[in-house]
Amino acid sequence: MTTLLRLATILCVTLCSATGFAQEGGRKAIAYMQAPEMSSGLCAAQDTASAIDCAMKQCIDGGGTAEDCQVNATCNPGNWSVDIFMMADGGPHWHQFSCGWQTKELALKAADLACSTASQDGLVECSAVQLIDEDGKITEPPFN
């Protein structure tokens, strides 16, 4: 990702999140960072910038570099989030993160939709691997 695109993404996320923070009266934000094939970070915090900083630290501590750890998603308020594991034919794998869902059921439907064209997209695996609430509490399958 080019530096200009990265800065534009961060600016857009920050502006959108600042509006959400003011409207929601202090609910928690969530951020997911990813260094594909290396590491990731996931944090819930009082504001988007803090969530991004925390997720970046986790990503780097897990073996990613500052250049490779990129914002995958951020929402303020975080609401329910889902982490979707995807693996392409041949082995490359990554996580897609979707946040801001009002219920865990909607978050799981988002994962189902993301995986609905998996075989046409050359994916050999696609599934929800974690549900995360607004406080950052992680639930792994089965999701009851």
Side-chain angles (χ1 to χ4, degrees):
M1 181 182 293
T2 67
T3 302
L4 184 58
L5 182 57
R6 183 175 184 194
L7 290 174
T9 301
I10 291 170
L11 177 63
C12 181
V13 165
T14 302
L15 291 174
C16 292
S17 297
T19 302
F21 182 75
Q23 292 173 347
E24 296 298 327
R27 293 174 60 193
K28 288 189 178 178
I30 195 161
Y32 183 75
M33 304 285 288
Q34 182 173 211
E37 301 286 335
M38 288 186 266
S39 184
S40 64
L42 166 68
C43 280
Q46 289 306 114
D47 59 72
T48 303
S50 297
I52 290 172
D53 288 345
C54 173
M56 175 65 88
K57 182 178 180 335
Q58 284 183 4
C59 186
I60 292 170
D61 288 350
T65 66
E67 294 156 349
D68 291 321
C69 293
Q70 300 290 316
V71 175
N72 186 270
T74 183
C75 289
N76 190 349
N79 291 327
W80 284 92
S81 303
V82 62
D83 178 1
I84 307 160
F85 175 79
M86 298 180 165
M87 186 164 73
D89 188 20
H93 61 280
W94 62 95
H95 291 256
Q96 182 173 319
F97 191 82
S98 182
C99 57
W101 298 100
Q102 294 297 317
T103 66
K104 66 181 178 179
E105 292 79 16
L106 288 174
L108 288 171
K109 285 184 188 236
D112 288 344
L113 182 59
C115 293
S116 67
T117 59
S119 60
Q120 297 97 309
D121 295 336
L123 301 177
V124 294
E125 188 173 341
C126 185
S127 62
V129 293
Q130 297 183 108
L131 273 174
I132 303 97
D133 70 14
E134 189 169 320
D135 292 321
K137 181 182 173 209
I138 296 172
T139 303
E140 295 179 0
F143 305 116
N144 297 326

